[in-house]
């Protein structure tokens, strides 16, 4: 519960920034709306766009413009939205009417009312039993459609898509499984990449086409290979730059990357621990009072930016120590630049190995990132020890033994 609330607070902030909202909460009547709940009552009429955020948003009245909403828990539209609705929430329920389009990011989306234009959804589950004027487009884990759809149904799904209503044109599904019930009426074609089960009683006006696997176009493969080559060349430049800017740190990082288990642990801790530490205050604050969660998240933004900057730097230089260490294993007697080039070529070839190549490169990056952190620590300690040692030019008086 605590993690869900803190994560939703972040979604509220992002949604407000993206939508260009001037304010977070627009209480129409102070007697029925608070910082936690935004309520548009049955008799309320909002004669312009409504931007709202809170734990819950409920629209029972009429909004003559667009609705832009973000909620930690639920957004429920039981009234009328005469424009479009753009929503980020954990759960979205539409049992009223939206004259325009619905664009939503939510874990659960339920549409039992009507949407005049399109529905664009990204989330966990989608269930429609109302009337949708045009298309349903989205990426979900699973979906069930049982209402009337004016045009196309086009979904990407991780698990199942179940079609049990009327579709005015085509159905195109990419999913683990497609189920077309006996109540389905599809006027156009059914195209799918899935394990399909079509009830014989279902009415399909066009063709039923299994598309099969989509081959990667030659142009895309060529661009991918070129991008990898450009990335390898960029890493060579990064290698030269790091040895010019911080030779001691780069030397130490390349050496410490050979102790890959310790460096991997450092890399994992550096990637995972800061988000946990930064989220913890928001979790504690949200568990005690929802009013404290948002200020706490805002206070952590500079630290999140710092963490992002460190992570971005690590993405750029992380593979350098790993390449040196890998090249040292293959050609231990070569110079360090030669070992770096050999290791970099091996990592570049590993990238193209199916299934295991990309995870191996990711592990190599974690090892390199951890090695850089250890190298910075090692170089700092070496400078401190050097500063405390007496200089050879210092005239220290000595006392000769009698």
């Amino acid at each position: 519960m605590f993690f869900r609330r803190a994560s939703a607070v972040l979604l509220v902030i992002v949604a407000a920034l993206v939508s260009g909202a001037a304010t977070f909460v627009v209480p129409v009547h102070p007697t029925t709306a608070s910082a936690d709940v935004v309520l548009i009552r049955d008799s309320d009429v909002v004669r312009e766009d409504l931007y709202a955020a809170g734990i819950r948003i409920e629209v029972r009245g009429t909004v003559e413009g667009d609705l832009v909403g973000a909620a930690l828990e639920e957004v429920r539209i039981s009234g009328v939205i005469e424009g479009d609705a753009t929503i980020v929430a954990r759960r979205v329920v539409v049992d009223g009417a939206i004259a325009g389009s619905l664009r939503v990011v939510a874990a659960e989306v339920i549409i039992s009312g009507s949407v005049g234009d399109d529905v664009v959804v990204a989330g966990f589950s989608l269930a429609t039993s109302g009337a949708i004027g045009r298309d349903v487009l989205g990426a979900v884990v699973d979906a069930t459609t049982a209402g009337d759809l004016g045009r196309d149904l086009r979904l990407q799904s991780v698990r199942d898509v179940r079609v049990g209503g009327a579709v005015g044109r085509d159905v195109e599904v990419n999913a683990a499984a497609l189920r077309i019930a006996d109540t389905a009426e599809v006027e156009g074609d059914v195209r799918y990449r899935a394990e399909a089960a079509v009830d014989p009683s279902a009415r399909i006006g066009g063709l039923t086409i299994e598309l099969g696997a989509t081959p990667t176009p030659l142009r895309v493969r060529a661009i991918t290979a070129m991008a990898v080559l450009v990335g390898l060349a960029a890493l060579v430049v990064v290698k030269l730059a790091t040895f010019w800017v911080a030779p001691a740190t780069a030397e130490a990082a390349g050496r410490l990357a050979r102790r890959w288990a310790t460096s991997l642990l450092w890399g994992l801790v550096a990637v995972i621990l800061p988000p946990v530490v930064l989220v913890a205050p928001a979790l504690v604050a949200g568990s005690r009072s929802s009013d404290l969660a948002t200020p706490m998240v805002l206070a952590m933004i500079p630290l999140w930016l710092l963490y992002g900057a460190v992570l971005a730097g690590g993405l750029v230089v992380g593979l350098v120590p790993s390449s040196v260490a890998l090249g040292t294993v293959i050609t231990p007697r070569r110079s360090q630049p030669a070992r770096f080039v050999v290791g970099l070529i091996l990592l570049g070839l590993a990238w193209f190995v199916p299934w295991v190549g990309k995870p191996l490169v990711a592990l190599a990056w974690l090892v390199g990132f951890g090695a850089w952190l250890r190298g910075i620590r090692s170089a700092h300690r070496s400078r401190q020890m050097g500063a405390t040692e007496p200089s050879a030019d210092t005239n220290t008086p000595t006392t000769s033994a009698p």
Side-chain angles (χ1 to χ4, degrees):
M1 174 67 73
F2 301 158
F3 178 78
R4 185 181 64 193
R5 287 192 174 186
S7 301
V9 168
L10 293 175
L11 285 176
V12 168
I13 296 170
V14 171
L17 291 175
V18 171
S19 63
T23 56
F24 272 129
V25 181
V26 184
V28 177
H29 293 287
T31 57
T32 60
S34 68
D36 292 338
V37 178
V38 177
L39 175 62
I40 309 300
R41 298 181 303 184
D42 296 345
S43 58
D44 292 335
V45 178
V46 180
R47 302 192 182 279
E48 56 185 12
D49 296 342
L50 173 64
Y51 297 89
I55 294 178
R56 291 184 65 251
I57 300 172
E58 186 167 356
V59 179
R60 300 177 186 172
T62 301
V63 177
E64 294 184 349
D66 297 337
L67 169 66
V68 178
L72 302 183
E73 293 293 338
E74 181 182 83
V75 175
R76 181 178 290 270
I77 300 173
S78 302
V80 177
I81 307 294
E82 296 186 359
D84 299 330
T86 303
I87 301 171
V88 176
R90 186 185 68 83
R91 187 169 185 260
V92 176
V93 178
V94 179
D95 50 14
I98 300 174
S101 297
L102 172 64
R103 305 176 185 91
V104 58
V105 177
E108 184 180 8
V109 181
I110 299 173
I111 303 173
S112 57
S114 64
V115 177
D117 291 336
D118 301 321
V119 172
V120 181
V121 58
F124 190 87
S125 68
L126 168 67
T128 67
S129 57
I132 299 171
R134 297 201 303 188
D135 303 326
V136 172
L137 313 170
V140 295
V141 175
D142 55 18
T144 300
T145 64
D148 294 332
L149 177 59
R151 296 199 313 194
D152 297 334
L153 173 66
R154 301 179 185 273
L155 290 175
Q156 301 281 331
S157 176
V158 177
R159 294 197 307 222
D160 297 344
V161 174
R162 295 169 291 277
V163 180
V167 180
R169 288 199 317 202
D170 299 332
V171 172
E172 185 167 334
V173 170
N174 188 348
L178 171 64
R179 306 284 183 261
I180 299 183
D182 56 348
T183 56
E185 297 181 3
V186 181
E187 298 297 332
D189 299 334
V190 175
R191 298 187 293 270
Y192 63 91
R193 295 183 182 90
E195 179 185 341
V198 181
D199 192 284
S201 301
R203 187 172 71 83
I204 299 176
L207 302 174
T208 301
I209 305 170
E210 183 178 4
L211 299 176
T214 304
T216 304
L218 179 61
R219 180 181 299 178
V220 173
R221 285 183 284 174
I223 291 174
T224 303
M226 183 62 68
V228 172
L229 292 176
V230 171
L232 295 177
L235 281 176
V236 174
V237 176
V238 169
K239 159 76 173 176
L240 297 175
T242 54
F243 272 85
W244 177 59
V245 174
T249 303
E251 179 73 27
R255 183 180 68 255
L256 293 170
R258 280 176 269 173
R259 301 175 184 176
W260 64 270
T262 305
S263 295
L264 177 61
L265 180 61
W266 274 65
L268 286 171
V269 170
V271 171
I272 296 173
L273 185 60
V276 173
V277 173
L278 292 175
V279 167
L283 296 179
V284 175
S287 67
R288 297 183 178 180
S289 172
S290 59
D291 294 336
L292 296 177
T294 300
M296 186 63 69
V297 170
L298 292 175
M300 291 295 176
I301 287 178
L303 296 178
W304 279 106
L305 293 175
L306 177 61
Y307 169 69
V310 172
L311 200 60
L315 288 173
V316 174
V317 301
L319 287 178
V320 172
S322 301
S323 300
V324 173
L326 184 59
T328 302
V329 174
I330 304 300
T331 56
R333 297 184 180 181
R334 299 289 183 181
S335 63
Q336 190 181 78
R339 297 198 300 269
F340 167 73
V341 171
V342 170
L344 189 61
I345 292 174
L346 290 175
L347 287 177
L349 294 174
W351 179 265
F352 293 100
V353 177
W355 303 109
V356 298
K358 294 177 178 61
L360 284 176
V361 174
L363 286 175
W365 175 81
L366 281 172
V367 170
F369 187 38
W372 270 112
L373 298 176
R374 296 179 66 200
I376 293 171
R377 176 172 173 267
S378 176
H380 179 67
R381 292 178 63 183
S382 298
R383 285 194 295 269
Q384 284 186 328
M385 293 177 62
T388 58
E389 293 177 356
S391 172
D393 297 331
T394 302
N395 293 323
T396 304
T398 57
T399 304
S400 58

